[in-house]
Structures are given as structure tokens and as C-alpha cells.
Amino acid sequence: MTNRKAAVKNAVCGILAGSLILLGAVSCGSGQTHPQDGAGASETENQPAANIYAFRMENGKLNWNQPGLPYKVNLVSAKTTPVCTDPLCMHDTEECPFFDCYGCAAGGEILFYRRGSLSRYENGFRGTEKLCVCAVADGKTRVLREYADNLVFLGVRGETLYYYTAEWSNEGDGLVCTYSLHRADGKSGAVEDLSLPETYRTEGGYIDNSDYPNLLMFEGDTIYWTKYAEDRTASILRSDLDGRNWTEVRTGVRTFASVYSEGYGYTAGIKVELEDPGDRRGENGGTVSYSLRRTRPDSGEEEPETIADNIGSSNFLVTDRYIFTMEGVSPVPEGMKIRTDPFSYGGDVGSEILNGCRVWRMNLDGSERTLVGETTEYYFAGRQGVPDKVLFDYYEDETNDWLAFFFMEQDESGRLVLSEDTLILNAETGEFTVSEFVR
């Protein structure tokens, strides 16, 4: 199979699997947390300790529902180290503040994370989950609140986390969880109980995100939410930042964008033109093109506006000022596959592989598209419709824009696996640097 045919086949498989998804969260964008490197004070004497870090797990992006030790990537010095600042800590006992860490969310100069878990028994759950924060400027950690309930992270605005608690009770034929909305200020440590427009519950002893409003995005002083309906559509709700003044603004929504940011949802549209229209899997080749589309969740218009054509792939990142897109530079070697194991995301079917990349920057309306970096040295791969799997973080100061990328390496069998290192691009100079992973 030629590279052209393989690309078309993967694109068709990705579309058949569904390229529009709903993320029950807000893209992390710019302004991530910024702990101090364990390398010592000399590195930070001539630069601010804050606002220079991206965050990741060893096997991928920072995840709100994934156990593991979080790592920080210094985008200026190109060093990746554990968020835990104790150089002697092995991170495998309760003495480590990140031991038993389950899920992280970054915002401003704060890293929110959960510790502990609940265990199911015959009549309910036992255990606790702790809501913790790390002040990244000095690495200090503290427990904000301890719950006998499950915690469900929703989204971060600045240094404030919005989250649910799922309170369990034994009623009638089984367990029921009731959801309550809260807000935590990572700097002051204040935790507030917010209101919901009605009572949301799940029966059956499990948590179901179709039973409560999912935080879609922030825009100014407004939060947009989505709530699933029984007919597999959804409604769009709106509230203020204090969880008041709830209003239903749309119903019957059937598709969602892959990224939401400050008023718009963004999606990479995929167009496949087959050489043989009857060839449903693209075995005989054809062409694949990508466009960037956006729509407002409260507009009532299902068809999104196309703001950029021929963006090269479905990988893009939306920040509060720019959109960054990626396209491959060279053909992918024939037969190259992604290894399916916990250290890769995706698989062979529906995966999108880039051999090298060009990185473009544009305004939020798609105007002034500018090439900011090009490399032929690395492979990149992600699932179609999930763009933040490759280009995952961004920071800007007065003179530079930095971007952080996951990239792939070949294992002994020649298949691609996720590298534990991080690729960094200075979008002002065009220079690529690898931030090496230090345990």
C-alpha cells in the first residue's frame, strides 16, 4: 500500500469512528502551572520562577482521571522533572505529597490534584479523596479539603478549579450518587459550595457524566455547560462564575467541537476524495484535506464556519491569542505503525502520523497565517478528532512564544511509541529543542 493510500485509509477509518467528540473540560491553553526545578536556584536567579512550565505525565498529557506522578517541563531551560521538588524522594511512599495521586488539573501558578480513592463494599464505599494543591513557585503542597465522596474535576479558570463531589447513599434497590458543585481557589485555599439548577443523581453504583451538566467552556464572566438528553442529543446551559443564574440556551444539539475556548468551539474538518467512490476504506487511494472550523455553542447553527483551509492535519492548539496548526513535511515510510500499549495513544486504525512538521500560527479568526517552525527530525501521531494529543501546551512572555509537543520514537521492532521526552518550539526564533526526561 502506498503512503498516499495508507493516509486515505486511516482518514476514512477515523471518520467512520467519529471525528467530532465532546470533551467534558476546557482546553488548558496558556498560563499553566509553574513549579521550581529541582536543579537548584541558579537556574531561576535571572528569570521568573513562574509562567515557564508545561505539564505532562510520563505516558502522555496531564489527565484529570489518570493515576501517576505529574512532571513539569521547563520550556526555557528544556528540563523535565517531577513536580515533587524533593531530590531524594522516590515517589513510592506516602511521604511523597504526590504518592497515590489520581488526576491533575493545572491553572495559573497552581496544580490541583487528587489523592486517595474510595473502595466499594456491599452497602457503599469506604475511604477518602483529598483535594490538594501545589503552589508551583515554591513547590509547597497542601490539602484543601478531604471528602468521603468521589471528586470529578470539571475545569479551571485562572487559578480556580470547578469540580463535583459524588456523594453515595444506599437507597432502596442499590447505591445512588448525588452530585454537588464546588469551586476551589488555589491561592487562598477557599472552597465554596455552588448551586445547581436542579438535583442530579445516578443510580446503579457508578458515576455517569450524562447525568450532570459538563463544563464546556468559560467566556468572560459566563460558564457554558452541556447536559445530555435521553434521545442522545444535548442541551446547552449557561451560568455565571458563581454558579447562579442558570439558563437553558439551546436544546437538541447533536454534534460538538473537539476544543472550546473563549466563546467558540473549534474542530478540524476532514474531507476525503476517493479515487474509487465505492472503496469505503480507501484501499485504492485518494486525497485527504483538513480545514479548521468554529462555531458558537449558543448560536443555534449546527454548521460551523470555516476559518482556515488546508491546515495539513487535525492537530491544533487554541490559546487565548492564537491558533497553532501542524502539517507533515515528508511522506510517512510505508508500513509504519503505532504500537498499541499504555505508552502510546491510538493504534493502527484511525491514527494520523506526521513525518516531521511545519507549525503555523494564526489569529483566532483564521487570519494572518504565519509559519513559525519546521523540522524533519521527528514523528508525531494522534487520534483524528483529538488534536491535543500532539501539540499540548503553550506559554508566552514579552518576547517569546513556546509550544510543547508530544512526539514518537521507534522501538526495537520499528513501531512508533510515545517518547518520554518533550519537544519544545520557540515560535519567535523557530528553534526546536528536546526537553529530556529526568526522574
Side-chain angles (χ1 to χ4, degrees):
M1 180 184 292
T2 65
N3 294 325
R4 186 182 181 194
K5 291 181 180 179
V8 173
K9 181 177 180 180
N10 279 340
V12 172
C13 292
I15 292 171
L16 294 176
S19 61
L20 290 180
I21 62 170
L22 169 65
L23 299 182
V26 174
S27 175
C28 286
S30 62
Q32 297 287 42
T33 51
H34 326 291
Q36 194 172 12
D37 276 345
S42 60
E43 179 185 293
T44 62
E45 287 176 354
N46 297 320
Q47 64 188 42
N51 297 333
I52 55 174
Y53 286 89
F55 288 84
R56 63 171 294 170
M57 311 295 279
E58 180 177 0
N59 61 341
K61 64 175 290 189
L62 206 65
N63 195 301
W64 297 354
N65 295 293
Q66 177 181 327
L69 180 68
Y71 287 79
K72 57 186 185 290
V73 183
N74 189 314
L75 299 176
V76 178
S77 68
K79 294 182 180 179
T80 301
T81 54
V83 173
C84 175
T85 56
D86 184 350
L88 302 179
C89 183
M90 300 299 293
H91 320 297
D92 57 358
T93 69
E94 292 187 0
E95 299 302 315
C96 176
F98 293 93
F99 177 75
D100 202 19
C101 173
Y102 196 98
C104 301
E109 297 184 16
I110 296 295
L111 184 70
F112 295 93
Y113 63 101
R114 296 180 294 163
R115 289 190 67 182
S117 61
L118 304 184
S119 300
R120 178 83 178 260
Y121 70 102
E122 183 178 358
N123 295 317
F125 288 83
R126 292 193 180 101
T128 60
E129 290 194 4
K130 300 174 182 177
L131 175 62
C132 307
V133 294
C134 175
V136 297
D138 55 18
K140 292 182 179 179
T141 63
R142 56 178 167 164
V143 177
L144 295 188
R145 189 171 286 188
E146 187 170 334
Y147 296 94
D149 311 316
N150 285 118
L151 302 182
V152 181
F153 286 3
L154 298 173
V156 180
R157 176 70 158 186
E159 295 173 341
T160 300
L161 171 74
Y162 288 80
Y163 65 100
Y164 286 129
T165 52
E167 181 181 356
W168 296 97
S169 59
N170 197 339
E171 299 180 14
D173 296 332
L175 287 170
V176 175
C177 68
T178 303
Y179 305 102
S180 300
L181 179 62
H182 311 273
R183 177 174 64 185
D185 186 312
K187 269 199 169 180
S188 69
V191 176
E192 299 175 78
D193 301 329
L194 306 181
S195 62
L196 289 167
E198 59 183 88
T199 299
Y200 297 99
R201 295 153 52 92
T202 297
E203 299 179 0
Y206 59 93
I207 294 175
D208 188 344
N209 71 348
S210 67
D211 288 333
Y212 54 72
N214 293 270
L215 199 156
L216 198 61
M217 71 172 180
F218 298 94
E219 182 185 19
D221 296 332
T222 299
I223 306 177
Y224 286 90
W225 310 76
T226 181
K227 174 68 176 66
Y228 294 107
E230 293 183 359
D231 63 356
R232 296 189 177 182
T233 66
S235 57
I236 303 295
L237 307 174
R238 186 169 56 204
S239 76
D240 60 23
L241 295 178
D242 298 324
R244 299 190 299 256
N245 302 318
W246 288 81
T247 306
E248 185 176 74
V249 295
R250 283 186 66 194
T251 59
V253 180
R254 295 187 178 277
T255 59
F256 287 88
S258 53
V259 172
Y260 283 86
S261 178
E262 288 295 339
Y264 287 92
Y266 297 85
T267 299
I270 305 172
K271 182 180 180 181
V272 179
E273 295 182 349
L274 300 174
E275 292 186 2
D276 177 4
D279 175 20
R280 296 288 296 169
R281 294 187 62 84
E283 298 281 358
N284 298 319
T287 59
V288 181
S289 59
Y290 299 85
S291 60
L292 188 61
R293 306 172 180 177
R294 74 174 185 177
T295 185
R296 285 195 58 87
D298 56 358
S299 69
E301 298 178 4
E302 290 290 337
E303 187 64 29
E305 168 197 10
T306 298
I307 61 173
D309 289 311
N310 300 316
I311 61 173
S313 78
S314 65
N315 294 291
F316 66 92
L317 179 70
V318 181
T319 76
D320 57 357
R321 289 186 60 196
Y322 299 115
I323 301 171
F324 294 88
T325 63
M326 297 174 62
E327 65 176 334
V329 172
S330 304
V332 176
E334 186 172 352
M336 178 165 283
K337 301 292 185 181
I338 302 173
R339 194 175 77 197
T340 53
D341 64 14
F343 290 91
S344 67
Y345 33 78
D348 299 338
V349 177
S351 295
E352 181 180 16
I353 303 174
L354 302 182
N355 184 0
C357 74
R358 295 185 185 94
V359 182
W360 299 83
R361 181 176 62 200
M362 66 183 76
N363 294 328
L364 295 176
D365 62 0
S367 64
E368 299 184 23
R369 187 169 182 239
T370 305
L371 181 67
V372 295
E374 180 173 348
T375 178
T376 60
E377 298 183 27
Y378 308 96
Y379 291 106
F380 307 87
R383 294 288 290 179
Q384 289 170 344
V386 190
D388 58 354
K389 292 295 187 181
V390 175
L391 180 54
F392 74 96
D393 216 337
Y394 166 82
Y395 163 69
E396 65 172 306
D397 64 15
E398 294 180 356
T399 57
N400 293 283
D401 297 338
W402 283 276
L403 298 165
F405 302 77
F406 294 126
F407 67 98
M408 310 295 282
E409 297 177 318
Q410 289 183 281
D411 65 6
E412 61 280 357
S413 69
R415 290 201 168 199
L416 292 178
V417 296
L418 177 66
S419 174
E420 62 183 19
D421 297 328
T422 302
L423 186 66
I424 299 169
L425 167 64
N426 185 324
E428 296 304 315
T429 66
E431 180 182 2
F432 284 90
T433 308
V434 173
S435 176
E436 296 186 359
F437 195 95
V438 180
R439 288 178 173 80

